[in-house]
Structures are given as structure tokens and as C-alpha cells.
Amino acid sequence: MKKVGVVGVGYVGLTQAVGMAQLGHSVIAYDIDVEKITKLNNSNSPFFEPGLEEALIEAQSKNLISFTNDAETLIDAEYIFLCLPTPQDEDGSADLNYLLEAVNEIKDILKPNTYLIIKSTVPVNSWKQVEQIVEREDVFLISNPEFLREGSALFDFHNPDRIVIGATTKEQSQIVAEMYSNLSTEFVLTDNTSAELTKYAANSFLAIKLSFVNDIAALCENLNANSGEVLKGVGLDNRIGNKFLTPGPGWGGSCFPKDVNALARVADREKIMMPLLSAAIESNVNAQNRVIQKIVDKLGDLNGIRIGVLGLAFKANTDDTRNSPAIEIIRKLQALGAVISAYDPAVKAFEGFEVKNDASEVFIDADLLLVLTEWAEFAQIELSSHIQNMRVVNILDTRNIFELDELKKLKVNIIN
Ligand SMILES: NC(=O)c1ccc[n+]([C@@H]2O[C@H](COP(=O)([O-])OP(=O)(O)OC[C@H]3O[C@@H](n4cnc5c(N)ncnc54)[C@H](O)[C@@H]3O)[C@@H](O)[C@H]2O)c1
């Protein structure tokens, strides 16, 4: 059992803290947010993530995890994971202030031979900035980027595709790898700079893949080709793979947009042309705008048009709406005069429009039903009874949740 500290108890930090406790380590997790720590001490997860609250309660009952607003309590930790936000700055680069401030706050309480492990997604060579702040030879700086997916974060902790650990010596990275030794996965032990770049490269590659898929789906619509079958045929090529080939209203979330932009800034700085990054971003804006355009083409002037929206989170199984394409699209529809009422299984309120408690309520008096997040439970909605409550039965299902044959049988106006 190792003594583990976690700084920043958000989606990544809480998952890391609970996951480490499940591996049998003793964890103390620190955050500046008083309300969040109070909630956690009462065994409530501050956000929705499948299985996390149950695992938290179990870890607390075994006294393997505790939460604090007092940085001094990290004094005994041998391994400290830094899970601070790195949001996008005005110029597109990553804002390191949260990370650097937190490091500044704890650097003097670290005991000799502490492993200070950066989990936040940071631009290449940020570890050197952290090292300069710490200014101690008896503290080892490790880069261990996080690859979890919100919605399956704890599952991903226990079943990672790989664990990347960057350090200045192989011995240090091996020691940190031992923390995860109960997990069966491939380890990539490398230097700090390569570890940092691996995370940006992976996220940017995924964003480019999704942008390409959305462009192909748009082309299919124009050509009257079946995008599902086209993409299935593409994905059966082993070199491409069948994951991340589902079209949608654009990608979003707290990571892809900022990470693609941040990698573009790194490439600019290094004078390496990476036109695919800006193309992926442009394609993503187009994907969102295509949704608006389809609605305007069908319904004309949107002033006073009532739109029932299913899904607000940026993806299913999370309540995270940061950079959610659903929110971007809703804002654009509102700017055109549309009246929104929305439902999401995990998002219960949002400023600027009504969020209903039940999916059935968004159908009432709607001129259009718009599906924006791929929650599996939407497929269970009994459309035949609810569409009777709509003013006009138009449906735009950007996630292909509903069976096309069923929509045709119900004689709804399908917008595609
Ligand atoms: N969310 C994801 O799916 C995901 C996946 C992989 C990597 N990441 C990366 O991990 C990092 C964290 O992301 P997140 O989504 O968990 O962020 P988050 O915003 O959910 O959580 C960050 C936490 O840090 C706390 N904090 C801020 N300043 C602090 C300070 N000085 N001391 C202590 N705590 C402080 C905040 O109160 C908050 O609870 C980011 O770099 C992100 O890019 C996120």
C-alpha cells in the first residue's frame, strides 16, 4: 500500500483517487473547492459518472480515501497526482495557471523522494515549468497523461488501453508503473516530453477521425448513400478500426476542442505545418452548422418555433456540458428565435432555457424533436404515443438513435 495524494478532485482527480483506493493504496485528495469536498465527505459524487459514487462509498468504508481543503495534509503522500484543469487560453494555448498555482502551493510541504505526477493534459515541455517552480532535486517529476473517457471513467481506469509514464530516468518511471501493477495493460515508459506529446497526439487524431466521419456522413446525405453502411465498410479495414466511426452533430467536451487548439499552438511555435488540425476544427463548426441549416431549410423562419431537445451533455453517460455541441446548437437556434425545451437524463438545469424532468415533456406542443446526445435510453421512448402531443411531427435525429423504419411507419417528417 502506497500513500497517494491527489490535487484537484474533478472528473480526472476523483476517478484517480477512487481508482487508486480500489487498487489498495491509501489516498488523500485535496481541492480548493469547499462545497465539493463537503459533498465528497458526505459520500456524494459532485458529478455523474457511472459506478463512481458506489466505489467512493466502499473506499470510504474501508478508510482508504479521505478528502480535504487543507493542502498541508498532503505532507505524508509519497506519490502526488496533479489533476488540475488546463483550459483553453484566449490565444488557443493551454492555460497552465491552475496547475502552476497548485504546485506553488504544495512544493514546500513535499517530503524528500516524493513523486510529483502530472495527470493534467499539458503542452509539450510544461513539465520543465513545473520543475522550475518546485526547484528541488529530491522531488521526481513524472508525466502520466490521462486517457479516460467521461461516461466510463472508472471502467477505463481499471481497463486502460495503455498507461504512458514519462520520467527523466527509467527507474523512476518503473517505480510509478508499479502503482498500477494490478492492471493488465501495455505500459509505455518514456521521457516526459514524449509522454506529454502522446496525449495531444491521441486526442487530436481522434478529433480528426470524427471530423472526417462527419464530413463523409454529410456527403452520403447529399449523394443518397447509406452512411451507416459506408462507415461499416470503412471500419472493417483493420488499419482503420471500427471505433469512433459514428457521425453526430460535431465533437465537443472539455478535452478535444482545447487539446486540438493547444497542439496547433505547439506546432506553430515549432514552425511545423499541421493543416489537419485547423481543418478538423473547421469541419466541426460545419457539422454543427449543418444541423441548423437542415432545420432552417425545413421550417423556414425559426422565430417562435418550439423545439424539443433530447440530450444536453457532450456525450452519453455524463452530465458534462463543457463545449457540448448540443449547447452550441441550442444557442444558435435561440439566436434565430427558436424556443427550446430540453431533457437530459443527467443534466437537470441549464441557464437560458427550460430543462424538463421527463423526456415526454419536450414533445408537448413542439414543432420539432431534435436529438443531440446519444443516450441509449432515448431509443426506449415510446414515440407513437408522445408524437401525438407535438404541434407538428418533425424529427431530426443527429445521433441515429431511432430506427429509421419505425419513423417511416409512424409517418413523421424526417429531417436529414
Ligand atoms: N475530463 C476528462 O475527460 C479528461 C480526460 C483526460 C484528461 N483530462 C485532463 O485532466 C485535467 C483535469 O480535467 P478535469 O476534467 O478533471 O477538470 P475539472 O475541472 O473537472 O477538475 C479540476 C479540479 O481542480 C480543482 N482545482 C483548481 N485549482 C486548484 C488548486 N489550486 N488546488 C487544488 N484544486 C484545484 C477544481 O476545484 C476542480 O475540482 C485537464 O488537464 C484535462 O484536460 C480530462
Side-chain angles (χ1 to χ4, degrees):
M1 177 194 282
K2 304 286 187 202
K3 289 181 182 154
V4 172
V6 171
V7 180
V9 194
Y11 287 85
V12 168
L14 183 57
T15 306
Q16 184 70 15
V18 170
M20 279 285 150
Q22 286 181 308
L23 292 183
H25 301 300
S26 167
V27 182
I28 172 103
Y30 158 70
D31 201 291
I32 44 170
D33 185 331
V34 174
E35 203 182 319
K36 196 174 253 188
I37 293 301
T38 308
K39 263 188 148 183
L40 285 161
N41 279 328
N42 289 323
S43 304
N44 293 318
S45 171
F47 50 85
F48 172 74
E49 185 60 47
L52 194 58
E53 193 166 274
E54 294 82 343
L56 163 71
I57 293 168
E58 200 186 331
Q60 281 175 321
S61 72
K62 292 180 181 163
N63 283 328
L64 284 173
I65 197 166
S66 59
F67 297 93
T68 180
N69 287 125
D70 179 7
E72 294 280 328
T73 47
L74 292 167
I75 196 159
D76 287 329
E78 304 158 298
Y79 300 83
I80 297 184
F81 292 93
L82 301 170
C83 308
L84 288 310
T86 49
Q88 188 171 315
D89 223 337
E90 276 161 22
D91 67 349
S93 60
D95 176 356
L96 289 185
N97 282 327
Y98 295 92
L99 175 69
L100 300 181
E101 267 171 32
V103 170
N104 207 22
E105 202 173 6
I106 63 169
K107 66 178 172 134
D108 294 328
I109 57 164
L110 306 179
K111 60 181 188 184
N113 301 326
T114 299
Y115 286 78
L116 196 56
I117 306 166
I118 304 173
K119 272 223 148 286
S120 299
T121 303
V122 290
V124 182
N125 287 333
S126 298
W127 67 279
K128 289 184 183 165
Q129 286 189 54
V130 175
E131 198 174 52
Q132 272 171 11
I133 290 182
V134 176
E135 243 194 328
R136 283 177 54 175
E137 289 193 354
D138 60 351
V139 170
F140 312 125
L141 211 68
I142 309 293
S143 304
N144 172 213
E146 179 55 60
F147 296 96
L148 65 78
R149 298 161 302 169
E150 284 180 26
S152 54
L154 199 55
F155 174 87
D156 290 348
F157 177 90
H158 290 287
N159 304 277
D161 288 341
R162 74 307 211 181
I163 293 176
V164 176
I165 300 173
T168 39
T169 69
K170 264 272 161 349
E171 196 195 357
Q172 287 171 10
S173 52
Q174 273 157 354
I175 288 173
V176 174
E178 275 166 31
M179 305 282 297
Y180 297 101
S181 60
N182 285 351
L183 305 180
S184 134
T185 187
E186 187 103 22
F187 284 83
V188 181
L189 305 187
T190 181
D191 58 276
N192 297 75
T193 305
S194 304
E196 289 174 337
L197 186 54
T198 306
K199 172 66 189 175
Y200 275 125
N203 267 9
S204 298
F205 194 93
L206 290 170
I208 290 168
K209 189 173 182 184
L210 281 182
S211 279
F212 184 77
V213 163
N214 285 334
D215 286 347
I216 289 293
L219 197 56
C220 287
E221 278 165 19
N222 269 28
L223 296 171
N224 231 353
N226 183 320
S227 62
E229 286 163 13
V230 169
L231 290 164
K232 184 177 176 194
V234 171
L236 285 169
D237 186 324
N238 275 333
R239 294 168 302 174
I240 296 172
N242 60 8
K243 302 222 175 88
F244 249 57
L245 285 185
T246 313
W251 40 266
S254 68
C255 293
F256 283 4
K258 79 172 173 66
D259 293 351
V260 175
N261 275 307
L263 182 60
R265 294 291 82 74
V266 173
D268 284 350
R269 204 182 59 210
E270 296 301 316
K271 300 199 170 27
I272 297 291
M273 305 266 278
M274 292 188 73
L276 291 180
L277 298 175
S278 50
I281 293 166
E282 193 183 333
S283 151
N284 198 43
V285 174
N286 293 342
Q288 291 176 9
N289 287 342
R290 270 197 296 272
V291 176
I292 312 289
Q293 195 56 52
K294 284 177 186 177
I295 297 172
V296 170
D297 286 350
K298 182 78 180 181
L299 302 182
D301 183 1
L302 296 190
N303 207 13
I305 292 289
R306 296 181 58 86
I307 302 180
V309 172
L310 288 177
L312 295 171
F314 83 97
K315 60 187 272 194
N317 299 320
T318 179
D319 58 0
D320 198 347
T321 52
R322 291 179 285 182
N323 282 313
S324 169
I327 302 298
E328 306 277 336
I329 288 167
I330 286 173
R331 295 287 185 230
K332 288 179 183 172
L333 291 169
Q334 285 184 307
L336 294 172
V339 180
I340 305 293
S341 90
Y343 168 76
D344 186 287
V347 183
K348 293 301 167 202
F350 206 90
E351 214 181 295
F353 54 86
E354 246 187 309
V355 181
K356 303 287 191 186
N357 286 324
D358 194 277
S360 63
E361 295 178 68
V362 305
F363 288 81
I364 297 170
D365 292 335
D367 299 294
L368 166 69
L369 181 75
L370 176 61
V371 183
L372 290 175
T373 310
E374 75 282 23
W375 283 93
E377 69 172 70
F378 293 159
Q380 311 307 320
I381 293 173
E382 225 184 279
L383 282 180
S384 57
S385 56
H386 296 311
I387 57 174
Q388 293 172 16
N389 298 326
M390 293 177 73
R391 205 151 64 173
V392 190
V393 189
N394 291 307
I395 295 188
L396 172 48
D397 177 5
T398 68
R399 300 285 191 171
N400 299 321
I401 284 285
F402 300 129
E403 292 289 339
L404 199 58
D405 286 344
E406 200 204 339
L407 294 181
K408 284 181 181 159
K409 218 163 47 188
L410 292 171
K411 296 198 167 50
V412 307
N413 304 318
I414 303 166
I415 302 181
N416 58 25

